[in-house]
Amino acid sequence: MDYIFDIKRYAINDGPGIRTTLFMKGCPLRCVWCHNPEGWSPQPQLLYKRSKCIGCQTCVAVCPEQALRLTPDGIVSDAGRCTVCGRCADECPTRALEVCGRRYTLDELMAEVEKERAVMTDSGGGVTLCGGEPLMHPQSALEILRELGRRGLHRTVDTTLYAQADVVETVAGECELLLVDLKLMDAEQHRRYTGVSNDLILSNIRLVARLGVPFWIRIPLIEGVNADEENIEATARFLQSLHSPPSQGGVGGGSLHLLPYHDVGKDKHLRMGSQYNPQAIPMATPTEATLQRCRQQFEAFGLRTVVGG
């Protein structure tokens, strides 16, 4: 089983109903605005929250590799020495240090999921695989999805669809819903902001539509990146071309979700020892006027929009 870096309970924005969301570690994209950058690497990482650190140096003393030292900026880890064994996090009295990423057995993971079965079932919810990018780990994702199916739980996969078509088709056949991120229509702009072209993503969205798999499109709406009239119109034309009935929302029998930008990833980069938006690309939460204009543009193409979720 590949690494899981978080289990979020009582999630209400990761599909229908109340859900348990499993975050799989590893993603091929590097979105500038990403709010889960700790999910980029497929390997476990040591995170450090300076505001919790009391400078006791317990972690320095117990590290078997002598990879930690206390500086005026707090605890600094030598990546060349650190093996992410977790002893420092185990001994830290204030939990300033944390290992991000854990391998579960399938039974252990299902035991965590089953804790919330009643709430999920009563609300029409279920379990969502998120990330990172679940499709980066098809074997583990399929193992989890098939077991959830055997247990009668609703299965959703939150994905960029940046994967080979056969992986997309196989995973789509083992879930009830896909949440598909669609960021930009221009391939070069997409590469600039995410590190990859969108050709494969757009091709796989067309594939999912042809397969008749229920999916929702989710657009992180960012002033200065993709909220301009040109990109919104191009996005609307693409989604309309999928020929999903307008009576069903116009998008995969589901709906089109606009997710206004926020910079929650900034604090996570600090904990990782990396820099948020190192190129200082202008990004902002869309104004109400921009949000309404985007909604009107989509609705002119018969696409129903939802803000959030």
Side-chain angles (χ1 to χ4, degrees), residues 167-188:
V167 171
V168 172
E169 186 168 354
T170 303
V171 170
E174 295 292 344
C175 66
E176 285 67 55
L177 177 66
L178 295 172
L179 307 181
V180 179
D181 293 342
L182 180 57
K183 306 170 196 302
L184 282 149
M185 291 303 298
D186 182 85
E188 286 309 308

Side-chain angles (χ1 to χ4, degrees), residues 27-63:
C27 183
L29 276 66
R30 294 295 182 267
C31 302
V32 176
W33 56 85
C34 181
H35 60 274
N36 287 330
E38 74 275 35
W40 287 352
S41 170
Q43 300 302 318
Q45 294 166 278
L46 185 65
L47 305 184
Y48 171 64
K49 192 161 189 175
R50 186 181 178 188
S51 62
K52 287 187 173 183
C53 182
I54 58 175
C56 67
Q57 301 192 65
T58 300
C59 57
V60 176
V62 301
C63 177

Side-chain angles (χ1 to χ4, degrees), residues 122-187:
D122 291 348
S123 68
V127 178
T128 298
L129 285 192
C130 188
E133 171 51 71
L135 270 58
M136 189 173 171
H137 313 288
Q139 185 173 345
S140 291
L142 287 167
E143 187 179 3
I144 294 168
L145 290 170
R146 286 167 177 158
E147 182 60 29
L148 292 170
R150 284 191 284 269
R151 292 168 182 259
L153 291 163
H154 183 277
R155 301 161 297 175
T156 293
V157 177
D158 185 354
T159 175
T160 66
L161 289 186
Y162 190 80
Q164 294 303 307
D166 60 330
V167 171
V168 172
E169 186 168 354
T170 303
V171 170
E174 295 292 344
C175 66
E176 285 67 55
L177 177 66
L178 295 172
L179 307 181
V180 179
D181 293 342
L182 180 57
K183 306 170 196 302
L184 282 149
M185 291 303 298
D186 182 85

Side-chain angles (χ1 to χ4, degrees):
M1 184 75 66
D2 290 282
Y3 288 98
I4 302 290
F5 70 91
D6 195 13
I7 298 176
K8 180 181 177 183
R9 307 181 190 281
Y10 302 100
I12 58 173
N13 293 313
D14 297 330
I18 298 173
R19 312 190 68 80
T20 297
T21 302
L22 310 177
F23 292 81
M24 301 187 72
K25 210 167 185 318
C27 183
L29 276 66
R30 294 295 182 267
C31 302
V32 176
W33 56 85
C34 181
H35 60 274
N36 287 330
E38 74 275 35
W40 287 352
S41 170
Q43 300 302 318
Q45 294 166 278
L46 185 65
L47 305 184
Y48 171 64
K49 192 161 189 175
R50 186 181 178 188
S51 62
K52 287 187 173 183
C53 182
I54 58 175
C56 67
Q57 301 192 65
T58 300
C59 57
V60 176
V62 301
C63 177
E65 307 300 329
Q66 297 182 325
L68 302 175
R69 59 190 176 92
L70 180 64
T71 74
D73 294 321
I75 294 294
V76 173
S77 173
D78 183 339
R81 287 175 172 266
C82 179
T83 62
V84 198
C85 68
R87 286 194 60 186
C88 57
D90 291 340
E91 298 296 332
C92 178
T94 61
R95 297 293 183 261
L97 288 164
E98 172 191 356
V99 174
C100 176
R102 174 188 163 185
R103 275 201 169 108
Y104 291 79
T105 67
L106 187 60
D107 286 344
E108 287 173 335
L109 203 55
M110 290 303 112
E112 293 297 320
V113 166
E114 289 287 354
K115 291 176 182 178
E116 317 300 339
R117 174 183 280 274
V119 173
M120 293 187 293
T121 302
D122 291 348
S123 68
V127 178
T128 298
L129 285 192
C130 188
E133 171 51 71
L135 270 58
M136 189 173 171
H137 313 288
Q139 185 173 345
S140 291
L142 287 167
E143 187 179 3
I144 294 168
L145 290 170
R146 286 167 177 158
E147 182 60 29
L148 292 170
R150 284 191 284 269
R151 292 168 182 259
L153 291 163
H154 183 277
R155 301 161 297 175
T156 293
V157 177
D158 185 354
T159 175
T160 66
L161 289 186
Y162 190 80
Q164 294 303 307
D166 60 330
V167 171
V168 172
E169 186 168 354
T170 303
V171 170
E174 295 292 344
C175 66
E176 285 67 55
L177 177 66
L178 295 172
L179 307 181
V180 179
D181 293 342
L182 180 57
K183 306 170 196 302
L184 282 149
M185 291 303 298
D186 182 85
E188 286 309 308
Q189 288 292 92
H190 195 281
R191 187 186 302 277
R192 177 191 178 196
Y193 292 114
T194 72
V196 303
S197 170
N198 63 357
D199 293 340
L200 184 59
I201 292 168
L202 298 181
S203 174
N204 280 330
I205 292 175
R206 295 187 186 100
L207 169 63
V208 167
R210 290 196 302 271
L211 292 172
V213 177
F215 67 97
W216 298 355
I217 292 290
R218 305 208 296 183
I219 299 174
L221 198 63
I222 308 165
E223 197 85 65
V225 175
N226 65 352
D228 57 280
E229 292 186 31
E230 182 179 359
N231 180 67
I232 296 302
E233 178 162 346
T235 305
R237 289 187 183 281
F238 170 73
L239 295 177
Q240 188 188 55
S241 75
L242 301 178
H243 302 300
S244 181
S247 63
Q248 293 183 324
V251 183
S255 53
L256 171 58
H257 294 250
L258 306 181
L259 311 178
Y261 164 77
H262 54 74
D263 64 358
V264 69
K266 186 179 295 185
D267 179 65
K268 294 183 177 182
H269 273 283
L270 287 173
R271 297 183 66 190
M272 292 166 58
S274 54
Q275 184 180 356
Y276 180 77
N277 189 13
Q279 296 178 320
I281 294 170
M283 298 187 296
T285 302
T287 64
E288 185 61 30
T290 297
L291 187 58
Q292 290 307 316
R293 187 258 301 157
C294 291
R295 297 189 73 177
Q296 289 168 6
Q297 283 187 266
F298 283 119
E299 288 165 5
F301 284 83
L303 301 170
R304 184 175 68 246
T305 60
V306 176
V307 176

